[in-house]
Amino acid sequence: MPLETHAFGTLADGREARLIELHNGNGMSVGVTDLGASLVSVRVPDRRGGRPDVTLGFDGAYGYQDNPWCFGTTVGRCANRIAGATFELAGTTYRLAANEGANNLHSGPHAYGERLWKVIEAKGSSVSLNLLSRPGDQGFPGALDVTVTYALDEGDRLRISYEALPSEATIVNLTCHAYWNLNGQASGSVLAHGLTIAADAYTPTDGQGIPTGEVAGLGKTPHDFRTGKQVGADIWRVPNGYDVNFVLRDGEAHESAATLVGERSGIAMDVTTSAPGLQLFVPGGLDCRGKDGARYQAFDAVALETQFFPDAIHHKGFPQPVFTPEHPFRSWTEFAFRTVG
């Protein structure tokens, strides 16, 4: 089916943001904006004949220009946390912005999600967007040429692919920061959603969300989603909500990472990825206005961020997100939708 492109709003500097809509023949549609290469909407048929929008976000560009929750954005150059907002690479120390206490989160200010990307290809049900990150951008070494492709197929699968070519050795850890509510983005709590995660271990953290370096078994922790349970089954044991990295069972073997099921809509989402880790984020502090005037509140969404482990650069036993001109970054994540029940 042909692509649709619409105006999405004017930025503070006068440039115009665009919304690109992808469609398939089954009634599924996906909205992507060139502002932040952000995922704006995902409409999926449910078991009752509806077509709810299952990802949180905003109605126009104004929301994505001030988006502290990173709704739907492409996060980079390095997603998640870097301890002390500093790291060493090839004998040189690099200092980043400390934007979460003493640490760096999602690369700091002037995030990729706030920038206008260039649409370099749009055809069928696929769109590719490009960003040139200058040398030294946000404190990271070298330049980075980033391309993100969103592709929707007739099997109700949305694949997000990343390619990033650095000018020299640097850290690259890109992810999609979508927030999912499979009953619909304005339908309230996700605590009754079913969730299964293909992981037998996680990376414990200190009080600031920084990994200790240990890879621990799930045991009787509240993080055990191996056989599936409601998102909120053990939420009383993590009162601020989940924010935990799972060590995926198959690592980078391109196997299933997670399945999320909306208990009212019957929409199931299967997540497959080439990334070694998955960050489960169920925000207990969420409180903001979103699409269609919806009020997003605590536990109204699940983020499933496929990525390298947090603070990996400081833990040599973790898979390392270091890439070079000879070894560029490539990764993909697929969200496949179906109905159950």
Side-chain angles (χ1 to χ4, degrees), residues 176 178 180 195 258 260 269 271 278-280 302-306 335:
C176 172
W180 304 99
L195 177 62
L260 184 68
M269 182 179 75
V271 183
L278 181 142
Q279 187 84 11
L280 171 65
V302 176
L304 299 167
E305 306 161 54
T306 54
F335 302 97

Side-chain angles (χ1 to χ4, degrees), residues 107-119:
S107 301
H110 193 41
Y112 283 9
E114 300 171 4
R115 307 185 196 185
L116 198 63
W117 294 51
K118 181 180 180 181
V119 176

Side-chain angles (χ1 to χ4, degrees), residues 296-333:
Y296 301 147
Q297 297 180 310
F299 309 126
D300 276 1
V302 176
L304 299 167
E305 306 161 54
T306 54
Q307 57 190 251
F308 282 91
F309 304 169
D311 197 35
I313 193 65
H314 290 131
H315 303 283
K316 299 308 178 185
F318 291 176
Q320 288 297 295
V322 177
F323 295 88
T324 66
E326 298 75 28
H327 176 49
F329 176 90
R330 293 186 178 91
S331 180
W332 59 264
T333 295

Side-chain angles (χ1 to χ4, degrees), residues 243-255:
D243 193 4
V244 58
N245 171 66
F246 289 85
V247 179
L248 292 177
R249 188 173 296 145
D250 294 295
E252 299 175 76
H254 305 178
E255 298 294 337

Side-chain angles (χ1 to χ4, degrees), residues 44-328:
V44 186
D46 66 16
R47 65 185 172 198
R48 296 186 179 91
R51 205 169 65 94
D53 182 356
V54 296
T55 186
L56 279 60
F58 302 105
D59 291 319
Y62 66 91
Y64 292 91
Q65 291 177 91
D66 182 17
N67 183 11
W69 290 99
C70 301
F71 287 134
T73 62
T74 295
V75 179
R77 182 174 305 191
C78 182
N80 220 302
R81 295 170 175 86
I82 296 177
T86 185
F87 65 93
E88 184 177 302
L89 191 62
T92 300
T93 298
Y94 296 92
R95 302 191 184 282
L96 313 174
N99 63 327
E100 189 187 57
N103 306 312
N104 178 270
L105 175 64
H106 295 329
S107 301
H110 193 41
Y112 283 9
E114 300 171 4
R115 307 185 196 185
L116 198 63
W117 294 51
K118 181 180 180 181
V119 176
I120 57 173
E121 186 174 41
K123 62 181 181 180
S125 293
S126 174
V127 61
S128 296
L129 305 102
N130 178 261
L131 179 72
L132 294 175
S133 176
R134 62 174 176 77
D137 194 2
Q138 297 176 297
F140 291 92
L144 192 69
D145 186 346
V146 186
T147 298
V148 178
T149 299
Y150 291 86
L152 175 63
D153 72 12
E154 295 301 312
D156 290 348
R157 292 183 292 262
L158 173 64
R159 177 176 283 226
I160 307 175
S161 303
Y162 306 89
E163 295 185 4
L165 178 64
S167 63
E168 62 183 87
T170 192
I171 296 176
V172 187
N173 186 22
L174 301 168
T175 193
C176 172
H177 209 295
Y179 290 75
W180 304 99
N181 186 320
L182 297 186
N183 293 327
Q185 61 91 22
S187 61
S189 173
V190 297
L191 294 183
H193 275 36
L195 177 62
T196 305
I197 298 177
D200 300 311
Y202 76 109
T203 53
T205 60
D206 62 17
Q208 299 179 30
I210 301 297
T212 63
E214 179 187 6
V215 173
L218 297 173
K220 296 182 179 180
T221 71
H223 313 320
D224 189 358
F225 288 91
R226 285 175 290 185
T227 58
K229 64 182 179 183
Q230 289 187 338
V231 171
D234 292 309
I235 203 73
W236 59 275
R237 298 172 65 187
V238 280
N240 293 323
Y242 286 101
D243 193 4
V244 58
N245 171 66
F246 289 85
V247 179
L248 292 177
R249 188 173 296 145
D250 294 295
E252 299 175 76
H254 305 178
E255 298 294 337
S256 176
T259 295
L260 184 68
V261 181
E263 77 286 357
R264 298 200 302 273
S265 67
I267 295 171
M269 182 179 75
D270 300 311
V271 183
T272 308
T273 186
S274 61
L278 181 142
Q279 187 84 11
L280 171 65
F281 185 40
V282 185
L286 182 60
D287 185 9
C288 69
R289 189 72 66 184
K291 286 182 282 192
D292 302 322
R295 189 74 191 183
Y296 301 147
Q297 297 180 310
F299 309 126
D300 276 1
V302 176
L304 299 167
E305 306 161 54
T306 54
Q307 57 190 251
F308 282 91
F309 304 169
D311 197 35
I313 193 65
H314 290 131
H315 303 283
K316 299 308 178 185
F318 291 176
Q320 288 297 295
V322 177
F323 295 88
T324 66
E326 298 75 28
H327 176 49

